[in-house]
Amino acid sequence: MGDQDKAAGRALDAYLAAAARTGDHKALALLFKRWNPRLTAHAWRLLGDREQAGDAVQEAWVEIVRGLVRLADTGAFAAWAYRITSRRCAKAIDRAVRDRRTAEALQIDEDAAAPQEPHTARLRQAMDALPLDQRAAIALFYLEDMSVAEVAVALAVPAGTVKTRLMHARHKLRAALEGDA
């Protein structure tokens, strides 16, 4: 897509957003047709689940439609829509984490009563010694079984930062556990 095509697309989006803001249902339908696939793809990248992505985008569109009247710069529609969708994805991740924790809390864990194995205790100590940002990344990625994208949204950092934190944490854990061996 060339610069002229991008500029024309932005101009069209600005026009459609301005028209939709005044109550033009056709403009809103065209805006939805242009942006729903992109927002859904973005949500899928963040959530890793098509159904959750669809739900998040549906919630985002409700917020987008309601908020159009307050959008001062219709030329910023794309960034604004992506921000709303990202926020909805973050809320979906928060809900999923809360649901997992609730399910885990309600589940009777027979292994919890058993004494910890020595290697489990060493791992716990090594994890506790990690810096908070690395410990959070490790816990969400391995213990909460979240994807890198989900961890990035949950911690409000780029995916690359999550990968770096995971790499450093793995190195530190390996060193700590090999030192105990």
Side-chain angles (χ1 to χ4, degrees), residues 54-130:
D55 291 346
V57 171
Q58 186 176 12
E59 291 173 8
W61 274 109
V62 170
E63 189 173 337
I64 289 167
V65 170
R66 288 182 180 157
L68 266 175
V69 295
R70 293 183 307 277
L71 180 61
D73 180 9
T74 56
F77 175 80
W80 180 70
Y82 277 123
R83 187 171 56 245
I84 290 171
T85 302
S86 296
R87 197 170 48 239
R88 288 298 173 170
C89 290
K91 287 181 181 182
I93 290 169
D94 289 343
R95 276 193 306 267
V97 168
R98 238 185 353 264
D99 290 348
R100 278 188 220 143
R101 286 187 183 141
T102 301
E104 288 171 1
L106 294 175
Q107 182 181 15
I108 298 172
D109 188 6
E110 296 169 0
D111 294 337
Q116 285 188 340
E117 296 290 326
H119 63 279
T120 304
R122 285 196 316 264
L123 178 60
R124 174 54 50 219
Q125 285 177 330
M127 284 183 64
D128 289 345
L130 291 173

Side-chain angles (χ1 to χ4, degrees), residues 1-25:
M1 183 181 260
D3 288 341
Q4 282 185 323
D5 292 338
K6 287 181 183 179
R10 283 194 295 273
L12 177 60
D13 293 334
Y15 168 76
L16 292 173
R21 188 169 58 183
T22 65
D24 184 338
H25 295 291

